[in-house]
Amino acid sequence: MAEPFKNLISTRTVDTAGHHLQRVWPQFNRAAFERQAANGLDTLEFKARAMQLADALEATLPDRFAHAADLIEASLAPPTALDADGEPLGLANNEHGGADKAGLRGWVVWSLAEFVARRGMDDVPRALACLHALTQRFSSEFAIRPFIQSHPDAVFATLTQWVHDPSAHVRRLVSEGSRPRLPWGLRLQALVADPAPALPLLRALQDDPSAYVRRSVANHLNDIAKDHPDLVAHWVQTHRPDASAQREALLRHASRGLIKQGHAPTLAAWGLARGLEGEAQLKLSARRASVGGDIGLEVTMHSTAATPQTLVIDYLVHHVRANGGTSPKVFKGWKLVLAPGERCTLDKRHSLRPVTTRTLHPGRHRIELQVNGAVCAEAAFDLIG
C-alpha cells in the first residue's frame, strides 16, 4: 500500500530541520523546536503539519526577521536540479536523495516560507530575497501571495526583475505565485477582478525555455479565463499567429477550459468557429449502467462539406444531484480533421466511478455531444446504485 501523501512531512522532517538550523546557529533551541513541531504530528493532515512546523519556527527562530532569514538561507541545500527541458528532477523532498546531508529542501520549505510570510511583512525586500532562495529548493508560491495582497507595487516591481532570473524556479514563481486562483493558495481577489498587473509578466514568460515555467503561464491564463474569457480569447488571437510549437501548446493548454465550454471567441481564435457541416449521431452501449462501472459512447460523423473540417468533439454529462436536479460537466472527446464526404466512427468508455470532487447519484443522466461548442446529438441512460 502506498505511503500516505501527508507523511512527506513527518517527524523525520522535523529532525532534519532541527539538525540544519542548529548546524548554522548553535544557539538554536532544537529541543524546543522539535518538541513543539512533532507534538501530535501523526494525527494531523498535510497542511496542518506544515503549519505546525511554521508555528515551531516562529517560537524558536530569532525575533529579528533579518537574522532569522539569514539562518534559513544558510540551512538550505543546493537548488533543485532541472533536466534538459527545465523540469525539476523529482520533488526533492528532504526525506529522500541525501538531502539530509546537504541541507533543507523539499516539503519543509512550505513551513520555512510560511514563517517568512508571517514574520517578514515589515521587511518586504528581505522577505522576497528569502523567498527567492526558498523557491529554488521547492516553491514559495503560497508564501508570496500575502505580500502581493498587502504590498502589490513592491512585489510586482520585483517580479518584473525576476522574469529575467537565471533560475527557472524563480521565473516560475513569477507566474505561479501571482495566479489569481491558485489551488490551495490565498485567492488574490484584486487580480481576480483585474489581472492587468500580471499580463506583462506572462507575456515575457510565455516563450520561456523551461517547460516548467511555460506550464505555469498556461495555468495562470486558464485561471484568468474563468473570470475574463474574452481577454484570454484575445490573447490567443494576438499571440497565436507565427507561434512556435511550444507557444502553440501553451496557448492551447491556456484555453482548454474555454474550448470545452464552447466559448465562441476562443473557438474562433483556434479556427473552430465553423459548426459541423454534416450529421452526427451518439449511441450508448446500454440504457442502464451501475455506479462504479462504465458506459460506452459511439459517435458517428458524416461530413457534407466541400472542404476539410477541423473538429473538436466533446461530450457534456448532466449528472443527477442529490436534490434531483442536474449538474453538467464537460469531458474531452476527440480532435480530428474530417475530409469532404468522410464518414467516421469514434468510441470511448466513460467511467462511472465516483471521484473525490463528485458523488454520483442514481437517476436519468443525459449526454450531449458537442462539436466545436455546438450540441449536435444527445442520448440518455439510467444510473442505478
Side-chain angles (χ1 to χ4, degrees):
M1 185 174 179
E3 184 80 2
F5 190 68
K6 64 183 179 181
N7 286 348
L8 290 169
I9 298 177
S10 67
T11 54
R12 184 175 174 184
T13 312
V14 173
D15 292 342
T16 302
H19 165 72
H20 284 293
L21 288 169
Q22 190 177 60
R23 172 178 60 81
V24 300
W25 188 39
Q27 295 86 356
F28 179 64
N29 192 339
R30 179 178 178 180
F33 166 77
E34 293 181 356
R35 185 168 54 250
Q36 181 173 348
N39 182 33
L41 192 68
D42 292 343
T43 67
L44 300 177
E45 295 304 316
F46 195 40
K47 183 176 181 179
R49 294 185 184 202
M51 296 304 102
Q52 179 160 298
L53 264 68
D55 294 340
L57 291 168
E58 278 203 280
T60 52
L61 283 176
D63 290 335
R64 189 166 67 87
F65 174 71
H67 185 196
D70 289 343
L71 297 175
I72 287 173
E73 291 172 0
S75 73
L76 299 177
T80 302
L82 302 172
D83 65 16
D85 294 324
E87 297 279 7
L89 291 171
L91 288 176
N93 71 75
N94 64 0
E95 297 188 352
H96 302 283
D100 287 7
K101 296 179 181 179
L104 299 180
R105 61 182 177 184
W107 287 104
V108 71
V109 168
W110 188 359
S111 303
L112 295 169
E114 173 67 17
F115 170 86
V116 173
R118 295 180 186 180
R119 293 280 301 278
M121 204 59 67
D122 293 331
D123 191 351
V124 175
R126 184 68 188 90
L128 293 179
C130 193
L131 295 181
H132 179 280
L134 287 170
T135 206
Q136 297 181 64
R137 279 79 181 176
F138 187 58
S139 179
S140 298
E141 63 201 57
F142 301 135
I144 200 170
R145 301 173 75 77
F147 292 96
I148 294 175
Q149 185 178 62
S150 299
H151 303 280
D153 292 342
V155 176
F156 273 100
T158 300
L159 296 181
T160 300
Q161 298 173 5
W162 284 357
V163 297
H164 306 294
D165 196 273
S167 170
H169 297 289
V170 175
R171 300 195 305 274
R172 175 185 179 272
L173 179 61
V174 173
S175 170
E176 198 73 6
S178 60
R179 280 179 59 182
R181 294 177 174 271
L182 179 70
W184 287 20
L186 172 71
R187 181 169 294 182
L188 298 175
Q189 287 299 148
L191 292 176
V192 170
D194 181 10
L199 297 182
L201 308 177
L202 302 182
R203 192 175 298 112
L205 293 172
Q206 70 177 349
D207 294 315
D208 194 274
S210 169
Y212 185 43
V213 176
R214 296 195 305 274
R215 186 166 58 251
S216 176
V217 173
N219 288 332
H220 191 141
L221 287 168
N222 188 58
D223 273 10
I224 293 172
K226 295 172 183 177
D227 304 289
H228 305 277
D230 290 348
L231 187 157
V232 174
H234 180 70
W235 184 286
V236 173
Q237 187 177 41
T238 301
H239 296 280
R240 189 174 171 231
D242 301 318
S244 65
Q246 292 176 335
R247 187 196 287 184
E248 181 95 355
L250 180 153
L251 295 174
R252 184 167 295 281
H253 195 56
S255 53
R256 63 193 185 276
L258 296 177
I259 291 174
K260 286 174 67 174
Q261 295 167 19
H263 183 246
T266 302
L267 293 173
W270 285 102
L272 301 172
R274 172 184 169 192
L276 173 66
E277 291 187 44
E279 300 175 349
Q281 292 183 337
L282 171 64
K283 294 182 180 180
L284 305 181
S285 61
R287 294 184 178 181
R288 301 178 72 192
S290 300
V291 173
D294 57 30
I295 191 167
L297 283 68
E298 181 182 278
V299 176
T300 303
M301 309 290 296
H302 175 214
S303 171
T304 59
T307 57
Q309 300 182 75
T310 300
L311 306 176
V312 173
I313 306 167
D314 299 320
Y315 61 98
L316 183 72
V317 180
H318 292 267
H319 291 100
V320 174
R321 304 175 64 179
N323 63 5
T326 59
S327 174
K329 180 174 174 56
V330 178
F331 293 87
K332 295 303 295 178
W334 307 265
K335 181 180 178 182
L336 56 88
V337 176
L338 198 61
E342 182 181 0
R343 294 178 183 270
C344 71
T345 300
L346 311 166
D347 58 78
K348 179 182 282 286
R349 303 299 298 185
H350 177 74
S351 173
L352 298 171
R353 296 171 181 83
V355 294
T356 56
T357 56
R358 183 179 297 274
T359 300
L360 297 180
H361 300 280
R364 173 59 61 96
H365 284 61
R366 186 163 54 89
I367 300 181
E368 295 178 342
L369 185 72
Q370 295 184 338
V371 180
N372 288 359
V375 176
C376 292
E378 63 177 70
F381 68 97
D382 293 319
L383 184 65
I384 58 178

